[in-house]
Amino acid sequence: MALVARLWHFIFLGRGTAPRPRLPMGAAGCRGGCGPRQLRCFEVIGNPGTFKRGLLFPALSYLSFETYRVISQAAVVHATAKVEEILEQADYLYESGETEKLFQLLTQYKESEDAELLWRLARASRDISQLSGTSEEEKKRLVYEALEYAKRALEKNASSFAAHKWYAICISDVGDYEGIKAKISNAYIIKEHFEKAIELNPKDATSIHLMGIWCYTFAEMPWYQRRIAKMLFATPPSSTYEEALGYFHRAEQVDPNFYSKNLLLLGKTYLKLQNKKLAAFWLMKAKDYPAHTEEDKQIQTEAAQLLTSFSDKN
């Protein structure tokens, strides 16, 4: 109501408006140069009552438009502020390892059209699917939902490096349910989106790490999978341990100790390359990495087991 009152004063009382321009004086003293015959004002504008009614409708239309415009702008600002607040909460919960609370927060906004919310929801859905307490049926449902959220995020903002990254991750996850043929068929798509994510944000260590995993996966691909790949592609996807190692080191340079799995894979890749000294160095770092998530604990266990088997052979 206060807004309407201010607009009413603006339109009808002239408050806050600039002074009206002065018209030139004519020979007979009439502003605007009426000439030899002075016209009364109502002869120019017609009946005063009619004039006032004619003024009222456009004024009310203007009032309605201004009110709508101001309210619309306020709504947009409020909506943006709300999204920013949700994103801050989501990032805090993610950094705190509060996987279930994060998922509960973001699922309230699964109908959102905001790419930043959607890719975070894809990530949260996937993280829940990875928990040991999640049933196989629930895990499969979450994996497919995560892909749908990531796809929508990419559709809303193709310039989002995170949307590209999580779309590629989710395609890979779905491949686990659709067989090795589908997984290999999607290999080039996955690589393309990881490379796009790195192009859009070369400082994102996770995207670089994931390209390393892609290379590691195809470097250690067993013979029967290679045969499938040759059937599907004239030039099947392939890579080397050296190429994988380059990405893992690059990720570490961008953000040292950012992820326990990167440390583990550095150790495992050096094992594949028969460099036991450097393998032991990185596996020890992975074993001693502070465990914030279930995955960190699993990686600690795997690193410890590899170190033990490593020592036994020596």
Side-chain angles (χ1 to χ4, degrees):
M1 291 304 293
L3 171 64
V4 173
R6 287 197 298 272
L7 288 171
W8 188 265
H9 279 81
F10 176 85
I11 295 165
F12 291 105
L13 301 183
R15 296 184 184 178
T17 60
R20 293 176 181 270
R22 294 178 63 85
L23 299 177
M25 294 292 292
C30 174
R31 297 192 186 278
C34 295
R37 177 171 170 262
Q38 294 188 39
L39 298 177
R40 299 175 187 174
C41 285
F42 66 82
E43 287 182 297
V44 176
I45 62 175
N47 185 283
T50 304
F51 171 71
K52 288 178 182 178
R53 286 195 298 273
L55 175 64
L56 180 60
F57 292 112
L60 286 174
S61 298
Y62 179 79
L63 173 62
S64 300
F65 169 75
E66 284 296 304
T67 305
Y68 169 77
R69 184 177 64 81
V70 174
I71 291 173
S72 296
Q73 288 176 347
V76 169
V77 171
H78 176 72
T80 304
K82 185 178 180 182
V83 169
E84 289 299 323
E85 184 180 328
I86 297 163
L87 295 180
E88 285 181 14
Q89 292 176 33
D91 291 344
Y92 173 79
L93 290 171
Y94 181 75
E95 292 298 327
S96 304
E98 297 283 358
T99 306
E100 291 173 329
K101 289 182 181 177
L102 174 61
F103 181 69
Q104 289 168 6
L105 169 69
L106 292 176
T107 48
Q108 299 176 67
Y109 307 99
K110 62 184 179 181
E111 302 303 325
S112 172
E113 298 297 309
D114 189 280
E116 293 297 305
L117 277 172
L118 288 168
W119 74 252
R120 283 172 171 82
L121 180 53
R123 180 181 66 183
S125 300
R126 182 181 187 272
D127 286 349
I128 287 288
S129 77
Q130 300 289 313
L131 295 179
S132 58
T134 305
S135 68
E136 283 303 313
E137 183 180 350
E138 184 70 2
K139 180 177 180 177
K140 182 177 180 180
R141 182 184 66 80
L142 287 164
V143 163
Y144 276 90
E145 284 185 2
L147 176 59
E148 185 59 31
Y149 297 138
K151 182 180 178 182
R152 283 170 53 202
L154 198 55
E155 287 170 352
K156 296 300 175 186
N157 185 4
S159 297
S160 168
F161 81 92
H164 282 280
K165 174 171 68 178
W166 285 99
Y167 182 64
I169 292 169
C170 293
I171 289 176
S172 179
D173 288 344
V174 165
D176 292 338
Y177 294 97
E178 298 186 348
I180 189 63
K181 186 175 179 180
K183 203 168 182 68
I184 294 173
S185 294
N186 288 330
Y188 282 122
I189 299 172
I190 292 167
K191 184 182 182 183
E192 176 189 334
H193 285 283
F194 282 149
E195 288 176 336
K196 186 64 178 178
I198 295 169
E199 178 190 328
L200 289 167
N201 185 2
K203 295 298 183 182
D204 180 52
T206 308
S207 297
I208 300 168
H209 162 81
L210 291 168
M211 262 310 305
I213 290 182
W214 191 95
C215 295
Y216 186 95
T217 301
F218 283 97
E220 71 168 1
M221 180 184 283
W223 66 268
Y224 66 90
Q225 291 184 6
R226 292 186 189 280
R227 286 188 64 182
I228 297 172
K230 286 180 180 179
M231 291 169 59
L232 293 171
F233 301 102
T235 307
S238 63
S239 189
T240 64
Y241 290 118
E242 287 83 1
E243 192 174 3
L245 190 67
Y247 279 110
F248 295 141
H249 271 300
R250 181 178 165 188
E252 207 61 30
Q253 289 165 1
V254 167
D255 191 1
N257 296 314
F258 76 102
Y259 187 25
S260 59
K261 192 167 185 177
N262 199 63
L263 304 175
L264 176 70
L265 283 167
L266 276 162
K268 291 176 74 171
T269 307
Y270 273 115
L271 275 178
K272 295 286 187 181
L273 294 170
Q274 304 300 313
N275 190 329
K276 295 181 179 180
K277 184 177 180 180
L278 284 174
F281 172 79
W282 290 105
L283 289 172
M284 188 65 71
K285 284 177 74 74
K287 184 180 78 71
D288 295 339
Y289 190 91
H292 298 296
T293 65
E294 271 193 44
E295 185 185 34
D296 289 335
K297 294 174 186 176
Q298 292 166 5
I299 285 167
Q300 282 182 341
T301 301
E302 185 178 352
Q305 289 171 348
L306 285 169
L307 283 166
T308 301
S309 63
F310 194 90
S311 301
D312 291 344
K313 288 178 182 178
N314 292 334

